[in-house]
Amino acid sequence: MRRSAAAPYRHPRPPRCPFRSPALSAVDSLKSLKRTPFWAQIAAGLVLGVVFGFIAKEYSVSWLTETLDQIGTIFVQLLKLAVPPLVFTAILVSVVNLRNVNNAARLAARTLLWFLITSLIAVAIGLTIGLVTNPGDGFKLPADPGKAPKTNGDWLDFLTGIIPTNIVTAFSEVKVLQIVFLAVVLGSAILSVGAKAEPLVKGAELVLEIIQKALWWVIKLSPLGTLGLIGTSVATYGWDLIKPLGTFTADIYIGCALVMFVVYPLLLALVGKVNPLNYFKGAWPAIQLAFVSRSSVGTMPVTQKVTERLGVPKDYASFAVPFGATTKMDGCAAIYPAIAAIFVAEVYGVNLGIKEYLLIAFVSVIGSAATAGLTGAIIMLTLTLSTVNLPLAGVALLLAIDPILDMMRTATNVAGQVVVPILVSAREKTLDLEKYNNPRDLEAPDEPATPHVPLQKTAEREPVSV
């Protein structure tokens, strides 16, 4: 049969080899994993962690518990390693970058205002849930409660602790509030000096970029870290430890869920006039990472990336996100201390009145910076209890389940740290709606960075309010 002149010639397809090299299979598996969305990788680690933790708990597999613990501990240590230089350079660069933002003082004021508003809503929800459910009613004091914290939250200690006495100690002991103070002061001084400080600005931006790059390698290990952290929690605590404090644990999770999935979406829809579903599509990787890492500061690079990819201008996001990571704590500083104060009062038979509830709200809104973006909210709780004259020994009752509570609290913190910049940008008409309505996956390549804007000479520019 003759081939038609119009028909193109096709080479015969070579027969498929029934055997594949193991190396090629491994490469294909890695490529497939890379194509998997980041949130799905973390979700898979979460599920596997629960399964392995359950096996270790039910069948007393000690080596599996130790392995999960080591994996989770190494992951958290890697995150915390970058905290001091990350916080310092991020805050410093964010203050200096205010020179590129129109109406910087107004944006900063509106950001802080929304921090306060959302914190007030969160503490109101926490108080309401605590009063309705009575989490401490019928609770029996354990024979051997956990050890009380060595450091108690005190207003005088909090205020004096902001200013460091030794710069080296502030970094070596990871005192985040002192690091923030140093960064703000140095950033303000750089703005005042002007163009002569330009080499220092470029150096800080370069250091920040290097730190974020190194931390990004750690963040890519999040699925493995999730497996270890969740697995350890399930294997160590289980239901037996949570059961006596079941109502309190449920209250924290319900309160945080109401803030994340009801309050924030309503604010986005009514105030920001944007679709809340797109917010969750874009911000979910940061919320997931916060849940497993229990560190707002450790999650900060992901938080800033998702915030920018949701359409918030980069110069403004570089200011709002670092400050939010160290001061915006709706879970740790609003919902948790409100419910915990009611719990401790009921356990010790102390009656709280309107005055005490108002004091709890005041402490939660104003004193949220005491949590400083690190794992745990013990200092904030002791600050609240001491303000309303409740026994500080009540803190020890809650220490055993604090890691389980802290996962949900930190996820709520980070969710709020993304919401507020979106609200402010939407109100200022600077939100990129095209980006917001089409959020990209975290693994997608970054867009080209905007060119560096050098500082002007002090005499040629107006002072910038910070």
Side-chain angles (χ1 to χ4, degrees), residues 345-396:
E346 290 177 347
V347 168
Y348 287 94
V350 179
N351 293 322
L352 299 178
I354 298 297
K355 175 185 174 183
E356 285 73 23
Y357 294 132
L358 291 176
L359 279 174
I360 291 172
F362 173 79
V363 174
S364 299
V365 173
I366 303 300
S368 61
T371 55
L374 291 177
T375 306
I378 302 304
I379 299 299
M380 185 63 202
L381 177 55
T382 58
L383 184 66
T384 304
L385 295 182
S386 62
T387 302
V388 293
N389 297 318
L390 287 172
L392 294 179
V395 178

Side-chain angles (χ1 to χ4, degrees), residues 216 300-310 321 442 444 446:
W216 187 247
M300 186 166 64
V302 178
T303 307
Q304 183 162 341
K305 178 168 283 191
V306 300
T307 303
E308 293 172 6
R309 292 191 172 188
L310 281 168
V321 172
L442 201 63
D446 291 324

Side-chain angles (χ1 to χ4, degrees), residues 328-339:
K328 174 63 178 165
M329 304 288 160
D330 288 346
C332 291
I335 296 171
Y336 175 68
I339 298 176

Side-chain angles (χ1 to χ4, degrees), residues 26 69 98 100 103 121 155 192 195 248 323 333 373 419 422 441 452:
D69 181 57
L98 286 176
N100 301 329
N103 301 315
I121 295 173
W155 280 107
S192 299
F248 180 78
F323 272 98
V419 163
I422 293 175
D441 183 70
H452 173 81

Side-chain angles (χ1 to χ4, degrees), residues 2 20 49 70 82 93 118 145 196 224 232 235 294-295 353 382 384 386 398-399 447:
R2 297 185 65 184
R20 288 182 60 85
Q70 288 297 323
V93 172
T118 51
K196 289 186 290 185
L224 190 60
T232 302
R294 298 168 43 220
S295 173
T382 58
T384 304
S386 62
L398 304 174
L399 287 178
E447 294 180 346

Side-chain angles (χ1 to χ4, degrees), residues 18 76 86 109 132 147 169 197 211 230 234 273 279 344 358 362 389 402 421 425 438 446 448 452 454:
V76 172
L86 176 66
V132 170
K147 295 181 180 179
T169 303
I211 294 171
I230 298 299
V234 174
K273 309 294 183 183
Y279 157 77
V344 173
L358 291 176
F362 173 79
N389 297 318
D402 190 71
S425 297
N438 300 280
D446 291 324
H452 173 81

Side-chain angles (χ1 to χ4, degrees), residues 60-262:
S60 300
V61 186
S62 59
W63 67 266
L64 181 56
T65 303
E66 293 176 2
T67 302
L68 293 171
D69 181 57
Q70 288 297 323
I71 293 173
T73 300
I74 291 172
F75 177 70
V76 172
Q77 285 177 341
L78 288 172
L79 283 177
K80 286 185 175 181
L81 185 64
V83 166
L86 176 66
V87 171
F88 181 78
T89 53
I91 297 294
L92 173 63
V93 172
S94 69
V95 172
V96 175
N97 279 344
L98 286 176
R99 72 189 190 276
N100 301 329
V101 180
N102 294 327
N103 301 315
R106 186 178 71 182
L107 278 178
R110 290 196 173 188
T111 302
L112 294 175
L113 178 62
W114 276 108
F115 281 178
L116 297 177
I117 291 173
T118 51
S119 295
L120 186 59
I121 295 173
V123 74
I125 290 176
L127 289 172
T128 302
I129 292 175
L131 292 172
V132 170
T133 60
N134 299 315
D137 189 24
F139 178 81
K140 295 181 180 180
L141 291 174
D144 185 22
K147 295 181 180 179
K150 296 180 181 179
T151 305
N152 295 328
D154 179 82
W155 280 107
L156 183 60
D157 292 338
F158 168 62
L159 294 175
T160 56
I162 294 177
I163 303 175
T165 57
N166 188 305
I167 295 178
V168 176
T169 303
F171 283 86
S172 63
E173 297 183 4
V174 196
K175 296 182 178 180
V176 175
L177 287 179
Q178 295 183 3
I179 295 173
V180 171
F181 175 82
L182 291 171
V184 170
V185 171
L186 183 58
S188 302
I190 288 174
L191 285 175
S192 299
V193 170
K196 289 186 290 185
E198 185 65 25
L200 184 60
V201 175
K202 290 183 177 179
E205 290 177 343
L206 179 59
V207 172
L208 177 59
E209 185 177 350
I210 292 172
I211 294 171
Q212 288 180 329
K213 187 67 175 179
L215 190 56
W216 187 247
W217 295 339
V218 178
I219 289 171
K220 285 192 173 184
L221 299 175
S222 296
L224 190 60
T226 300
L227 186 150
L229 291 169
I230 298 299
T232 302
S233 296
V234 174
T236 305
Y237 305 107
W239 174 245
D240 293 337
L241 187 59
I242 302 176
K243 191 175 181 180
L245 295 167
T247 302
F248 180 78
T249 304
D251 285 354
I252 299 298
Y253 271 72
I254 291 171
C256 290
L258 286 174
V259 171
M260 267 201 296
F261 301 112
V262 177

